[in-house]
Amino acid sequence: MIIGKPLFSVEQIQKRTEEMATKISSDYKGREIIAVGILKGAFMFFSDIVKLIQVPMAIDFLIASSYVKTHSTGKVNFHAELRENIKDRHVLLIEDIVDTGLTLRNIKDMLLAKNPASLKICTFLDKKIRRQTDIHLDYIGFEIPDKFVVGYGLDYENKFRNLPYIAIFKKTS
Ligand code: PRP
């Protein structure tokens, strides 16, 4: 297994996260949000961006998984539900990456049934070329090519999530 050179460095990630937080703060000015992180992958991006968003917020998490090694199974498993009631609240979903879009499709449909005042999606990475369902993303950090990436929360078999940068992952065997 090889970890290639950074696709996005610590500095690039920080700069882009600041830009996204500025836009989100401006869009939600005067309102309170509930930021919902999709674990595990979003833990690092979530932690960085919520520190920079300048509106009152509550936080919550969902735990969902659909990947085995480098492939989406197409089936989304939920391991933990929301603890907050989101009815009439402004929900901001925070993801590390959108690939096929199936995870967010499931989550979005499930949350809309709970009647939030609004629901927007913020993702750090967008692998748009792999999309299998039409889903609108409100805030996107970077669009990336069809390469498997790790680091900054993203994993291969639950490893490499702690790398502070995004790197392209190559499997040698
Ligand atoms: C990853 C990632 C997203 C999802 C995106 O999660 O964190 O939630 O896949 O893929 P999709 O758009 O094809 O659905 P994963 O299932 O690997 O679980 P993890 O967050 O625990 O790593």
Side-chain angles (χ1 to χ4, degrees):
M1 293 181 279
I2 304 171
I3 300 298
K5 67 178 170 59
L7 181 61
F8 301 113
S9 67
V10 170
E11 292 73 23
Q12 284 173 301
I13 291 171
Q14 189 180 347
K15 181 169 180 290
R16 187 69 189 119
T17 304
E18 286 169 4
E19 289 168 354
M20 295 174 82
T22 300
K23 176 80 171 99
I24 290 167
S25 302
S26 160
D27 289 354
Y28 283 100
K29 194 170 178 201
R31 286 183 288 170
E32 180 174 324
I33 65 172
I34 174 162
V36 175
I38 315 297
L39 298 177
K40 298 176 188 175
F43 81 97
M44 207 176 275
F45 175 55
F46 183 92
S47 158
D48 283 346
I49 198 160
V50 295
K51 283 182 276 192
L52 300 168
I53 296 173
Q54 301 288 318
V55 297
M57 73 168 71
I59 67 167
D60 206 345
F61 297 98
L62 281 170
I63 305 181
S65 68
S66 60
Y67 273 70
V68 175
K69 296 197 172 177
T70 58
H71 299 289
S72 170
T73 60
K75 180 179 181 304
V76 182
N77 295 305
F78 289 98
H79 310 284
E81 304 289 330
L82 287 181
R83 286 169 60 186
E84 298 280 323
N85 181 355
I86 61 168
K87 187 173 183 318
D88 299 330
R89 297 170 79 181
H90 297 289
V91 176
L92 180 63
L93 281 175
I94 299 183
E95 258 289 24
D96 52 316
I97 187 167
V98 183
D99 188 319
T100 63
L102 296 173
T103 300
L104 272 179
R105 172 86 274 146
N106 268 266
I107 290 173
K108 189 175 177 183
D109 291 348
M110 182 181 80
L111 297 189
L112 284 177
K114 297 175 188 284
N115 297 311
S118 69
L119 190 152
K120 286 189 177 183
I121 295 172
C122 170
T123 184
F124 186 63
L125 300 177
D126 179 12
K127 202 187 279 184
K128 197 175 180 179
I129 195 167
R130 296 245 313 156
R131 203 75 90 248
Q132 290 181 20
T133 181
D134 188 25
I135 188 146
H136 176 72
L137 306 177
D138 299 278
Y139 306 100
I140 298 167
F142 297 103
E143 189 175 324
I144 62 165
D146 190 10
K147 304 276 186 199
F148 195 82
V149 293
V150 294
Y152 199 58
L154 289 91
D155 73 307
Y156 173 76
E157 292 192 319
N158 209 17
K159 299 187 189 79
F160 313 113
R161 293 191 196 272
N162 60 316
L163 290 175
Y165 54 87
I166 300 275
I168 294 175
F169 174 80
K170 290 178 193 159
K171 204 156 168 282
T172 50
S173 59

